[in-house]
Amino acid sequence: MQNQSKNTYNQEAAKALGEEFRQTREKLGIDVADVSKQLKLSVEQIQALESGDYSSFSGIVFVTGFLRSYARLFKMDEQEIEGRLNTVVPQTAGHTYAVNREKESSFNYQSIEKNGFPKWILGVAALALIIGGVYVWQNKSDFENQQQNAADSSAVQNSLQAPELQSSNIAVSKMKGDGTQIIAASEASAVAASAASEPAKPTVSVGPDELWIKVQYRSNLIIKDKDGKMVFSRIIPAGSERRFKGGAPYEVWVGIAAGAEANYAGTAINPAAHRAEGEKSATFTAGK
């Protein structure tokens, strides 16, 4: 156990938790700089969390907040992480009392605080403000991501809705009897359905040994080259495009594949066709 004026924690448990974070990050192929940008911390602070050394942080209450944010970023089990945090930072009593034993073996409990307004209330209030600030900071990015994902999902759902059937889209002929019969559906609807099933056809020029990707929605994009080296790993804005050359075949992961376009050496690729059932993301290889 390491004891400092501002940090008190179980160093061995902290190192074990940090090592688990590091292995998870490396398994996903994400470098420290990307985690630093996502959590709005310095590269040195991320390295300190992964090594279990909290001596450079201003207080242990901030460290636990950063560790929770790290776990949420990689979608680790929150209940398990909370249990690990209780091991790293054991819970202590929040109030102290003096106990005086008298000769007849009875106990008298007297509060340590002096008469007047209890100073410990001010301390608790200050601590609550600090914790509240950390909580707001932690959830700001989560809230923004949730809003963006909700907007993206709504846009995707709207794009998948079937067109309304109008009278101008229906051909009607008389029956031999005294009724009428609808004999043909809208040709426009059939054309639209056929077009929706075809891969996107980019209008840009793509050279040989070149990969071109464009996303319709704000999305995370991860590209690895033929040697498995991370070429690109970043969230890119809606409607933006990226080009890569000289590293085929590429392993491509698109966070929101709906409406995305791709082309390798002049051959169009439809990312949405590579989604697993019920998933928004797509994974495919370009340039085999």
Side-chain angles (χ1 to χ4, degrees), residues 76-96:
M76 301 174 74
D77 187 279
E78 292 192 15
Q79 290 185 350
E80 179 181 348
I81 294 301
E82 199 64 35
R84 301 284 296 279
L85 287 177
N86 288 337
T87 303
V88 174
V89 185
Q91 301 297 315
T92 58
H95 199 64
T96 306

Side-chain angles (χ1 to χ4, degrees), residues 99-226:
V99 180
N100 296 324
R101 176 181 289 273
E102 297 181 349
K103 294 181 179 180
E104 61 273 16
S105 299
S106 61
F107 288 92
N108 291 327
Y109 295 88
Q110 298 176 340
S111 176
I112 292 177
E113 292 87 356
K114 297 180 180 179
N115 293 332
F117 187 82
K119 293 182 179 179
W120 64 268
I121 294 180
L122 295 177
V124 171
L127 180 60
L129 288 175
I130 293 174
I131 295 175
V134 173
Y135 179 83
V136 172
W137 177 84
Q138 287 175 351
N139 287 276
K140 181 179 180 181
S141 295
D142 291 342
F143 179 73
E144 291 175 349
N145 288 334
Q146 289 174 2
Q147 284 188 319
Q148 183 63 48
N149 289 337
D152 291 345
S153 297
S154 178
V156 172
Q157 290 296 330
N158 290 336
S159 68
L160 296 178
Q161 288 181 353
E164 294 183 358
L165 190 64
Q166 300 178 356
S167 59
S168 61
N169 295 330
I170 302 174
V172 181
S173 63
K174 290 185 179 181
M175 296 177 63
K176 293 182 179 180
D178 40 9
T180 59
Q181 179 183 14
I182 298 176
I183 62 172
S186 167
E187 292 182 359
S189 298
V191 171
S194 175
S197 63
E198 294 179 356
K201 297 179 180 179
T203 58
V204 297
S205 176
V206 181
D209 193 28
E210 183 178 26
L211 171 65
W212 173 84
I213 296 179
K214 181 178 181 180
V215 298
Q216 183 172 350
Y217 305 103
R218 179 176 180 267
S219 175
N220 195 5
L221 178 63
I222 299 176
I223 308 289
K224 292 184 178 181
D225 65 9
K226 59 186 176 182

Side-chain angles (χ1 to χ4, degrees), residues 21 39 41 49 54 57 59-73 81-82 85 89 130-131 133-139 142:
F21 283 168
L39 297 184
L41 297 174
L49 292 177
Y54 307 152
F57 292 96
I60 199 67
V61 65
F62 295 104
V63 175
T64 56
F66 297 151
L67 291 172
R68 290 188 180 95
S69 295
Y70 199 125
R72 292 192 189 102
L73 179 64
I81 294 301
E82 199 64 35
L85 287 177
V89 185
I130 293 174
I131 295 175
V134 173
Y135 179 83
V136 172
W137 177 84
Q138 287 175 351
N139 287 276
D142 291 342

Side-chain angles (χ1 to χ4, degrees), residues 261-277:
E261 304 174 57
N263 188 299
Y264 178 78
T267 301
I269 302 172
N270 182 12
H274 297 274
R275 294 182 299 181
E277 184 177 356

